[in-house]
Amino acid sequence: MKVISQNTAFGGMQGVYTHPSQACAGEMTFAVFVPPQAITRPCPVVWYLSGLTCTHANVMDKGEYRRMAAELGLIIICPDTSPRGENVADELTNWQMGKGAGFYLDATQTPWAEHYQMYTYVTEELPAFISQHFKVDMNRQAIFGHSMGGHGAMTIALKNPDRFKSCSAFAPIVAPSSADWSVGAFEKYLGTDTAAWRRYDACALVEDGARFPEFLIDQGAADGFLEKGLRPWLFEEAIRDTGIGLTLRMQERYDHSYYFISTFMDDHLRWHAERLA
């Protein structure tokens, strides 16, 4: 592990690191905030998955999570959104595909499959690496994210209900198999057989029998992507009569930006802390 930066904040430590990834076949970058409580005991882990065009740095710089994470004793881990590097396939003029747009899935199609194994990276490789290098309580894990990262958090929780105690999302893409800004990426990453897409679609996973106790979703009512890309009402419909709990809060006048995320970040961290206690 290579240390890129370490800065003291609210009595804890905000670090940025790189490491060689076998899953993604190259160097990967991630950020970790360790609260002061970790000096004396392992602390619960909250994974934050970022959205399209982002890296680990967006939430680290604009998410305003450190004060509350330090108060609650939560370790916050922020992976990158895709593999990076000169040899990594990309579409330079398409922000919905390639670097910055890994969609937290394992690609099966050429040329993407060589590096874009983000589901395996986030669920297997990076957790194992974190366990080796940080004082974490991996029996207490939560996951949340924004937009594409909200999609990733919800699908990962639905597929790993025994691992995560809680899951929440800011403006998630709940049905990427039919959303206008993800269909193209899914076809390129996973092929034309849409049955393969269902493993990375929260609504489809629920329809196919996946279960998780409850979700918290905050959605800006003034979000320009709401009607064609996000559509949280589809998830409401999918979980009806399943026993899955959902708190969906439509936030008037809020958009898709980190001004929205930072406003409700404390709410989400408190929500996770209650379920991780």
Side-chain angles (χ1 to χ4, degrees):
M1 182 172 69
K2 181 180 178 181
V3 178
I4 303 301
S5 64
Q6 288 182 323
N7 300 95
T8 301
F10 298 99
M13 180 69 71
Q14 176 67 67
V16 178
Y17 312 92
T18 64
H19 74 117
S21 166
Q22 184 175 353
C24 295
E27 289 286 316
M28 293 294 287
T29 303
F30 63 95
V32 179
F33 175 73
V34 178
Q37 294 88 336
I39 296 171
T40 58
R41 67 178 188 271
C43 290
V45 173
V46 183
W47 297 84
Y48 179 89
L49 306 184
S50 290
L52 286 162
T53 75
C54 294
T55 69
H56 67 282
N58 294 73
V59 69
M60 189 179 77
D61 294 342
K62 298 182 286 187
E64 301 183 23
Y65 58 81
R66 279 174 288 270
R67 181 187 61 79
M68 184 55 63
E71 178 180 322
L72 298 171
L74 301 175
I75 292 174
I76 310 296
I77 303 173
C78 308
D80 200 350
T81 54
S82 75
R84 310 277 174 175
E86 293 182 3
N87 298 322
V88 175
D90 193 20
E91 291 188 0
L92 295 176
T93 60
N94 183 3
W95 61 276
Q96 298 168 338
M97 186 69 196
K99 295 177 185 177
F103 278 95
Y104 304 101
L105 51 76
D106 284 349
T108 59
Q109 305 300 300
T110 303
W112 311 101
E114 181 179 357
H115 296 283
Y116 287 81
Q117 302 295 311
M118 288 301 295
Y119 180 81
T120 295
Y121 176 70
V122 169
T123 62
E124 297 179 18
E125 186 176 38
L126 187 55
F129 190 80
I130 292 290
S131 295
Q132 294 175 1
H133 293 278
F134 296 89
K135 191 178 289 186
V136 292
D137 181 354
M138 295 303 255
N139 291 318
R140 293 190 291 163
Q141 296 186 66
I143 189 166
F144 69 150
H146 169 233
S147 194
M148 178 185 73
H151 136 75
M154 293 175 70
T155 57
I156 288 171
L158 283 163
K159 294 167 74 170
N160 299 273
D162 295 332
R163 179 183 300 186
F164 296 100
K165 304 292 186 184
S166 56
C167 177
S168 70
F170 301 102
I173 309 171
V174 300
S177 295
S178 59
D180 62 350
W181 60 353
S182 48
V183 166
F186 270 44
E187 182 171 342
K188 292 174 183 177
Y189 285 137
L190 301 172
T192 57
D193 182 2
T194 57
W197 303 7
R198 298 181 69 84
R199 295 181 293 126
Y200 303 106
D201 183 305
C203 289
L205 282 167
V206 170
E207 291 169 2
D208 293 343
R211 296 293 181 265
F212 196 77
E214 60 178 332
F215 294 89
L216 168 64
I217 295 177
D218 271 313
Q219 171 64 61
D223 191 323
F225 300 111
L226 177 58
E227 294 295 329
K228 294 184 177 180
L230 306 172
R231 306 173 297 168
W233 51 84
L234 296 180
F235 192 68
E236 277 189 302
E237 295 171 8
I239 66 169
R240 188 171 293 126
D241 301 323
T242 64
I244 297 174
L246 173 63
T247 301
L248 172 60
R249 307 191 305 186
M250 297 300 298
Q251 305 292 356
E252 294 298 325
R253 299 184 293 117
Y254 284 92
D255 58 17
H256 200 67
S257 71
Y258 267 88
Y259 296 107
F260 158 61
I261 295 168
S262 61
T263 299
F264 300 103
M265 178 63 76
D266 284 2
D267 288 356
H268 282 243
L269 292 179
R270 290 192 189 99
W271 193 82
H272 288 296
E274 290 174 0
R275 287 148 183 80
L276 290 167

